[in-house]
Amino acid sequence: MSEAFRFEVLREDKTARTGVITTPRGKIRTPAFMPVGTAATVKAIHPEAVKALGADIVLANTYHLMLRPGPERIAALGGLHKFMNWPWPVLTDSGGFQVMSLAKLRKLDENGVTFQSHIDGALYRLTPERAMEIQDLLDSDIRMQLDECVRLPCPEEEVRRATRLSLAWAERSKHAFVVRAGRALFGIVQGGADKTLRSESAKALADIGFDGYALGGLAVGEPQDVTLAMIECVLPFLPSQKPRYLMGAGTPNDLLESVRRGIDVFDCVLPTRAGRHGLAYTRTGRLNLRNARHADDPAPIDPLSTCAAARNYSRAYLHHLVKAGEILGMMLLTEINLSYYQELMEEMRRAVAARQFDDFCAGAKAAWRTGEASGKPAA
Amino acid sequence: MSEAFRFEVLREDKTARTGVITTPRGKIRTPAFMPVGTAATVKAIHPEAVKALGADIVLANTYHLMLRPGPERIAALGGLHKFMNWPWPVLTDSGGFQVMSLAKLRKLDENGVTFQSHIDGALYRLTPERAMEIQDLLDSDIRMQLDECVRLPCPEEEVRRATRLSLAWAERSKHAFVVRAGRALFGIVQGGADKTLRSESAKALADIGFDGYALGGLAVGEPQDVTLAMIECVLPFLPSQKPRYLMGAGTPNDLLESVRRGIDVFDCVLPTRAGRHGLAYTRTGRLNLRNARHADDPAPIDPLSTCAAARNYSRAYLHHLVKAGEILGMMLLTEINLSYYQELMEEMRRAVAARQFDDFCAGAKAAWRTGEASGKPAA
């Protein structure tokens, strides 16, 4: 769709794969995890630290930015990258998911959705065309079609209607997409937990033709086997030479199992949100730093981590910061979690390249169990 | 009082002076500003960033640390410096001021004070001896005697009683101080806004003999001329070869006027607390980033600052972060403010060394006015 945006699969290991997405603002090594920068900031961390921890791309939310500070304002200030001091690639979603989950008094019609801002109650209108216009004002590198997300579980008739509406909006989004060198548009497969609807959605999107394909409406609380079944069901219908993006996922285990099935790109608030609530994701499993058993523990989170925050502060200190509600605790745990997520992606990329992905997964999962049980580093 | 702690005045310009305090954990260039690390963290900033911005020493609060996580726990974990990952000098206060300002159901007697924790209502007892013991458990480099602070304005009889009690506690603090190589004990001059009481307090403390002398019970909302009058009144009675510390001050203007009168050391929550509330202190005056006039301003806080946060983010972006309650806004403004405070201290040290302090003050004050008026950098 545009010359300078391209995706190259470098190596496959069964259905898992590793590759590179090239954009004018930088390369994205896949499988890739995008930290979430909702309101033009990955919460509680400097942008240069996000990059240094291994992120090639971040996600920003169209819904939040259209409400505050407004896309026209960001455009006048030189675009989103300059605004947030992040010169590397950015993916923007279309706002569809947040309109479902955050907005008040949502009113949907064939042409779009009218909703009240959750901030001040002001009325806004989002159409496929306006979603494209906003993302063009933000000048994001990867842009998403407007879709309608349903809450799962959901009656079949309702899922069918939303899936068809999302397909109609996919067509309109592609038509409205402002073609610029290096900017990409991804379609979003919907269909709830229904394999037939998902397959139809994937086929229809592939016929329209996008720079990449996302699975939407998943990672919203449904059991993991449902998510994985949907991935397995739709992937045969998506062009293999295009990136595949599982929106909103997930736990480290979700990432492993999804990469195993062929997903290339992820975003999730989990590592950052969990970090702000005292949870650490580590090589040896998840730790709740709020737990009193850490109060006297001089051990760091992970003495072998590449992340200074994981090496230089004791669990006792992190426990203290979390209990005291100190911002530094949120900052350090955000770094620790993003670092672990990026280390996991890097290890997955290497494992696929070495065609040892299954072995790698087994080892990673075994290490998580040692930590969950003991709370001590496996080393 | 201990061999490896010493203070050297390098140069004087009228009553202003610049020097170096030497401690085993590092040198402190004076005049020095100590960022406040209340609960063993300077809020919303990494310790290595505090150092990189120019701080040689931070303050930590005995009151907060005795309640949580507890000094015995910190000692068992290897002391405060290791706990907070700050290997450089730390000054601890004695808890007296916070008992007055924060604790519930305070009950004072000749031997000490019993109070309820503001966190969980638990009862605690602080005596001059316990304050020394706690600070020894923390292993701070500079320790403060326990004192009683009164709220100003205050009836003369009450100030007199509190001043005498503080002097009695000064004696007991010195007696209880665990003499260790390189650790120092400072006495605290009290006396409210009463010159006679302040002078008597200073003389009596000098007779007891301390490694340094603080002015306490000031910078609590009284007019600046009262603070400055108290400095002028007590300094002749304090040994000139010992450091002089004005506790709790202040604004950039307070620092200038106090250094001019001979103060060597400061601490204040203002730059960090103001930063968390959207206020920036800059070469060109104070800015309220919450103000809508910044919403579309692409200019950084100060393009000439040595602080990356002051150069690399627009006022529009900082305004957005502050309005959205984003932690990154607090982080960046904390850095910007601490950077400005440390730049100001460095410039004051140079100005005294060059014996151009009055000229420097006039220039700094003129620059503040340009910014307060226009909101634009003076440059």
Side-chain angles (χ1 to χ4, degrees):
Chain A
M1 195 166 282
S2 52
E3 286 179 354
F5 180 93
R6 63 176 194 274
F7 176 51
E8 190 184 358
V9 175
L10 297 174
R11 193 72 76 98
E12 291 174 298
D13 183 6
K14 298 177 191 162
T15 45
R17 58 197 205 166
T18 181
V20 180
I21 298 170
T22 302
T23 82
R25 290 200 179 92
K27 290 182 185 297
I28 303 155
R29 297 161 292 171
T30 68
F33 180 80
M34 302 187 287
V36 175
T38 303
T41 158
V42 180
K43 292 183 194 297
I45 185 167
H46 292 97
E48 59 269 31
V50 174
K51 179 69 177 171
L53 292 174
D56 295 329
I57 179 171
V58 297
L59 175 146
N61 288 116
T62 286
Y63 170 84
H64 290 86
L65 296 175
M66 80 182 282
L67 305 190
R68 185 171 58 193
E72 282 77 9
R73 170 170 283 143
I74 291 177
L77 288 162
L80 182 58
H81 299 73
K82 187 174 178 193
F83 186 62
M84 64 190 288
N85 193 27
W86 171 269
W88 304 287
V90 174
L91 180 146
T92 44
D93 66 5
S94 65
F97 180 76
Q98 275 78 28
V99 168
M100 184 264 286
S101 58
L102 290 179
K104 294 184 286 187
L105 291 179
R106 184 171 75 108
K107 200 172 162 197
L108 190 85
D109 58 64
E110 278 291 312
N111 282 320
V113 57
T114 303
F115 60 91
Q116 271 195 325
S117 159
H118 72 285
I119 299 169
D120 62 5
L123 276 184
Y124 286 84
R125 171 93 178 148
L126 202 54
T127 62
E129 292 74 20
R130 177 64 178 156
M132 285 298 104
E133 184 185 23
I134 292 173
Q135 294 178 79
D136 196 52
L137 286 162
L138 299 175
D139 195 22
S140 54
D141 302 275
I142 302 178
R143 307 169 188 188
M144 305 300 298
Q145 69 151 101
L146 186 64
D147 58 344
E148 187 201 348
C149 287
V150 296
R151 289 178 202 270
L152 295 180
C154 182
E156 192 197 329
E157 215 26 66
E158 177 68 3
V159 179
R160 184 181 307 275
R161 186 200 52 72
T163 305
R164 287 189 180 157
L165 184 65
S166 293
L167 275 176
W169 287 1
E171 287 255 20
R172 284 171 50 183
S173 294
K174 181 167 178 186
H175 186 73
F177 174 62
V178 184
V179 178
R180 295 187 196 280
R183 307 293 181 259
L185 176 63
F186 282 23
I188 305 178
V189 178
Q190 288 289 353
D194 185 313
K195 289 188 184 181
T196 308
L197 286 174
R198 285 273 171 192
S199 304
E200 287 173 9
S201 175
K203 273 186 262 186
L205 287 171
D207 287 345
I208 299 170
F210 288 91
D211 298 306
Y213 297 86
L215 278 78
L218 294 171
V220 289
E222 77 283 1
Q224 191 197 49
D225 58 0
V226 172
T227 318
L228 300 180
M230 292 303 113
I231 296 172
E232 290 172 7
C233 135
V234 303
L235 254 59
F237 302 105
L238 298 177
S240 64
Q241 73 281 15
K242 299 291 182 188
R244 303 155 180 163
Y245 163 29
L246 178 61
M247 302 183 82
T251 64
N253 189 55
D254 290 338
L255 302 186
L256 249 55
E257 293 303 331
S258 303
V259 167
R260 198 201 295 274
R261 287 160 177 80
I263 296 294
D264 304 302
V265 179
F266 301 88
D267 81 277
C268 191
V269 295
L270 189 60
T272 41
R273 181 176 291 167
R276 294 197 309 284
H277 289 87
L279 296 171
Y281 283 91
T282 79
R283 280 191 308 115
T284 55
R286 202 181 78 159
L287 297 174
N288 184 351
L289 270 308
R290 198 168 281 280
N291 195 307
R293 75 188 163 95
H294 301 296
D296 297 294
D297 190 345
I301 291 291
D302 183 350
L304 304 178
S305 173
T306 57
C307 169
R311 290 191 317 268
N312 295 344
Y313 299 86
S314 65
R315 295 170 187 215
Y317 184 61
L318 292 168
H319 170 77
H320 165 68
L321 294 178
V322 169
K323 291 287 283 184
E326 285 288 348
I327 290 171
L328 183 61
M330 302 184 193
M331 292 163 59
L332 295 175
L333 287 168
T334 296
E335 291 164 39
I336 286 166
N337 290 350
L338 285 181
S339 168
Y340 177 63
Y341 266 63
Q342 295 298 349
E343 280 182 20
L344 187 64
M345 302 316 291
E346 174 62 19
E347 287 170 344
M348 284 199 279
R349 290 190 292 263
R350 276 197 237 126
V352 172
R355 298 214 168 92
Q356 298 178 337
F357 191 74
D358 286 342
D359 286 352
F360 169 74
C361 287
K365 291 183 184 200
W368 295 337
R369 281 189 296 271
T370 64
E372 300 262 16
S374 73
K376 300 289 179 189
Chain B
M1 193 166 281
S2 53
E3 286 179 354
F5 180 92
R6 64 177 193 275
F7 176 51
E8 191 183 358
V9 176
L10 298 174
R11 193 72 76 97
E12 290 174 299
D13 182 5
K14 299 179 191 161
T15 45
R17 58 199 206 165
T18 182
V20 180
I21 297 170
T22 301
T23 82
R25 290 200 179 91
K27 290 183 185 296
I28 303 154
R29 298 160 292 171
T30 68
F33 180 81
M34 302 187 287
V36 175
T38 302
T41 158
V42 180
K43 292 185 195 297
I45 185 168
H46 291 98
E48 59 269 30
V50 174
K51 179 69 176 169
L53 293 174
D56 295 330
I57 178 171
V58 298
L59 175 147
N61 287 115
T62 286
Y63 170 84
H64 290 86
L65 296 175
M66 80 181 282
L67 305 190
R68 184 172 59 194
E72 282 77 9
R73 170 170 284 143
I74 291 177
L77 289 162
L80 182 57
H81 299 71
K82 187 173 176 192
F83 186 61
M84 63 191 288
N85 193 28
W86 171 269
W88 303 287
V90 174
L91 179 147
T92 45
D93 65 5
S94 64
F97 180 75
Q98 275 77 26
V99 167
M100 183 264 287
S101 58
L102 290 178
K104 295 183 288 189
L105 291 179
R106 185 171 74 108
K107 201 174 162 196
L108 189 85
D109 57 65
E110 277 292 312
N111 283 320
V113 57
T114 303
F115 60 92
Q116 270 194 327
S117 158
H118 73 285
I119 300 169
D120 60 4
L123 276 183
Y124 286 84
R125 172 94 178 146
L126 202 52
T127 62
E129 292 74 20
R130 177 63 178 158
M132 285 297 105
E133 183 185 24
I134 292 173
Q135 294 178 78
D136 196 54
L137 286 163
L138 299 175
D139 195 22
S140 54
D141 303 275
I142 301 179
R143 307 169 188 189
M144 305 301 298
Q145 69 150 101
L146 186 63
D147 58 344
E148 187 201 347
C149 287
V150 296
R151 290 178 201 272
L152 296 181
C154 181
E156 192 196 328
E157 216 27 67
E158 177 69 3
V159 179
R160 184 181 308 277
R161 185 201 54 70
T163 305
R164 287 188 179 156
L165 184 65
S166 293
L167 276 175
W169 288 0
E171 288 256 19
R172 284 171 50 183
S173 293
K174 181 166 178 185
H175 186 73
F177 174 62
V178 184
V179 179
R180 297 189 195 280
R183 307 292 182 259
L185 176 63
F186 281 23
I188 305 178
V189 177
Q190 289 289 353
D194 185 312
K195 289 187 184 183
T196 309
L197 285 174
R198 285 273 171 191
S199 305
E200 287 173 10
S201 175
K203 274 186 260 186
L205 286 171
D207 287 344
I208 299 171
F210 288 91
D211 297 306
Y213 297 86
L215 277 79
L218 294 172
V220 289
E222 77 282 2
Q224 191 198 48
D225 58 359
V226 173
T227 318
L228 300 180
M230 293 303 113
I231 297 172
E232 290 172 7
C233 135
V234 304
L235 253 60
F237 302 105
L238 297 177
S240 64
Q241 73 281 16
K242 299 290 184 188
R244 303 155 179 163
Y245 164 28
L246 178 61
M247 302 183 82
T251 63
N253 189 53
D254 290 339
L255 303 185
L256 249 54
E257 292 303 330
S258 303
V259 167
R260 198 201 296 272
R261 286 160 177 81
I263 296 294
D264 305 302
V265 180
F266 301 88
D267 80 277
C268 192
V269 295
L270 188 60
T272 42
R273 181 176 292 166
R276 295 196 307 283
H277 289 86
L279 296 171
Y281 283 91
T282 79
R283 280 189 310 114
T284 55
R286 202 181 78 158
L287 296 175
N288 184 350
L289 271 308
R290 198 168 280 282
N291 195 306
R293 76 189 162 95
H294 301 296
D296 297 293
D297 190 344
I301 291 290
D302 183 350
L304 303 178
S305 172
T306 57
C307 170
R311 290 191 316 268
N312 295 344
Y313 299 86
S314 65
R315 294 168 188 217
Y317 184 61
L318 292 168
H319 170 78
H320 165 68
L321 294 178
V322 169
K323 291 287 284 185
E326 285 289 347
I327 290 172
L328 183 62
M330 303 185 192
M331 292 164 59
L332 296 174
L333 287 168
T334 296
E335 291 164 40
I336 287 166
N337 290 349
L338 285 182
S339 168
Y340 176 64
Y341 266 63
Q342 296 297 349
E343 280 183 20
L344 187 64
M345 303 315 291
E346 174 61 19
E347 287 169 344
M348 284 199 278
R349 292 190 290 263
R350 276 197 237 126
V352 172
R355 297 213 169 96
Q356 298 178 337
F357 190 75
D358 286 342
D359 286 351
F360 168 74
C361 286
K365 291 182 186 202
W368 295 336
R369 282 189 295 271
T370 63
E372 300 261 15
S374 73
K376 300 289 177 187

